[in-house]
Amino acid sequence: MPRPVLTHPVPVVTMSIWKRHYSIAELARHAAAKSPVTLMGTLEMRYEAIGEDYLVMSMPVSPRTHQPMGLLHGGASVALAEEVGSVAANLCLPRDKIALGQEINANHLRGVRSGRITATARPVHLGGRSQVWGIEIRDDDDALICISRLTIAVGPRPPTATDIFPFAGESASGEPL
């Protein structure tokens, strides 16, 4: 029996994974306050895009991120992967929870000497006590240079913890602006 032909469009339901909604400009503004003294600032990482289920960050490849043979250091790739995955993980949680990196692995697939690399984090698992994120890192030619998996522990936010990404209209301590 032939399959029926639909005569009306099928609605596509998309649902964002984010509990905190930010534009790229807002993420950059929040990070800029701390970035000069963090690894993110030192390695000149920046936010590039956010979608329904992904976050994208990039980083330049330069002598600052090279290993002695003039190639991108694997540790720099891992730092970018952990940054984008950790930020994404925290944006998926309500105010009373915190996401902390528990384990990360990476497979370095191709060397890079210059340009900019871009990391895209997407969730593999979003649970109440753990999250797993898959991160693909690509070069300027869109070639896959590294694939990483980040496991996150989810726990209660300590009362003294500063929230680098407060909800819109709140300060880092949760007070209204």
Side-chain angles (χ1 to χ4, degrees):
M1 172 182 256
R3 298 178 81 184
V5 177
L6 296 175
T7 58
H8 56 80
V10 176
V12 176
V13 178
T14 59
M15 191 171 185
S16 175
I17 61 172
W18 313 119
K19 300 279 191 252
R20 305 171 193 211
H21 300 278
Y22 288 93
S23 69
I24 291 302
E26 290 168 323
L27 287 172
R29 194 171 48 252
H30 284 298
K34 294 183 189 258
S35 69
V37 296
T38 65
L39 189 59
M40 182 180 173
T42 300
L43 297 182
E44 300 175 16
M45 296 176 192
R46 71 178 185 216
Y47 296 100
E48 298 291 349
I50 189 166
E52 294 292 315
D53 70 343
Y54 65 88
L55 180 63
V56 181
M57 291 181 74
S58 70
M59 176 179 75
V61 179
S62 66
R64 175 181 295 186
T65 57
H66 283 170
Q67 41 96 312
M69 291 176 43
L71 294 168
L72 175 65
H73 193 291
S77 295
V78 172
L80 178 61
E82 185 155 9
E83 185 70 30
V84 70
S86 293
V87 170
N90 275 289
L91 292 176
C92 287
L93 295 174
R95 170 170 277 306
D96 63 336
K97 301 286 184 189
I98 192 168
L100 299 168
Q102 193 170 32
E103 189 270 340
I104 189 165
N105 67 40
N107 297 100
H108 306 289
L109 307 173
R110 143 181 305 204
V112 179
R113 292 187 183 278
S114 63
R116 202 159 186 90
I117 57 171
T118 303
T120 303
R122 292 184 190 279
V124 174
H125 165 74
L126 296 175
R129 292 185 292 187
S130 69
Q131 297 179 7
V132 178
W133 290 82
I135 298 106
E136 287 189 352
I137 302 178
R138 296 182 177 271
D139 67 11
D140 287 332
D141 296 323
D142 203 35
L144 185 63
I145 64 147
C146 179
I147 190 153
S148 182
R149 187 182 66 233
L150 174 64
T151 303
I152 296 285
V154 175
R157 178 178 300 283
T160 57
T162 300
D163 190 353
I164 189 169
F165 297 111
F167 286 94
E170 295 180 348
S171 69
S173 64
E175 300 298 317
L177 293 176

